[in-house]
Amino acid sequence: MTDQGKTLLVVEDEEVLREFEVQILGDSGYRVLQAECVAAALRVAAATTPIHLLLTDLSLPDGNGINLAHQFRVLHPQAAILLVSGSVMGLEGKADGPEPFTLMGKPFAVPELLRKIRALLADPAPPAPL
């Protein structure tokens, strides 16, 4: 099965980085939606089905990616969730709980991002806790 046509939601408050991620993912065959904050992301998530993957920054102007991920999971329970942050070192344990999320540090290489997204889309179940 191909990932072509899968819908991704990119949430990033840094416009240049968001546009870069949207461009790369769009060029890779994904349908890409975007939002700059938690509130906008939840509006998009509520209005769009299905969304196969949420790619969100951890630090957002009106909240954080972990809270967004939990609210997003209610709307799209089967979606994969990838949190990115410039400070992954401080994240250990924060993404745990009944629904762990996949974490990735910034900056990241484009092939690394695409590989991670393909892997998450191939296995829609959340990763097992470590």
Side-chain angles (χ1 to χ4, degrees):
M1 179 171 151
T2 177
D3 292 338
Q4 300 290 321
K6 295 267 179 131
T7 301
L8 282 52
L9 173 55
V10 173
V11 185
E12 170 63 60
D13 59 317
E14 291 180 46
E15 185 176 359
V16 172
L17 182 54
R18 184 176 67 246
E19 289 177 358
F20 175 70
E21 291 171 346
V22 167
Q23 178 75 44
I24 287 173
L25 296 170
D27 288 350
S28 297
Y30 298 107
R31 176 177 174 233
V32 186
L33 308 170
Q34 59 181 302
E36 71 283 350
C37 64
V38 171
L42 291 173
R43 281 194 301 272
V44 171
T48 309
T49 54
I51 295 176
H52 301 95
L53 183 136
L54 170 67
L55 169 62
T56 182
D57 191 16
L58 187 67
S59 177
L60 296 164
D62 61 343
N64 71 59
I66 293 173
N67 289 340
L68 169 59
H70 285 291
Q71 294 175 70
F72 177 86
R73 180 69 40 86
V74 172
L75 298 167
H76 298 275
Q78 299 305 314
I81 296 175
L82 177 57
L83 293 164
V84 293
S85 174
S87 56
V88 172
M89 290 315 208
L91 287 180
E92 282 82 10
K94 289 190 181 172
D96 294 339
E99 312 166 84
F101 307 117
T102 302
L103 304 172
M104 191 163 114
K106 286 196 294 192
F108 47 75
V110 171
E112 178 190 6
L113 175 66
L114 294 174
R115 204 167 31 251
K116 184 91 67 171
I117 287 174
R118 278 194 297 271
L120 286 168
L121 290 173
D123 179 15
L130 299 174

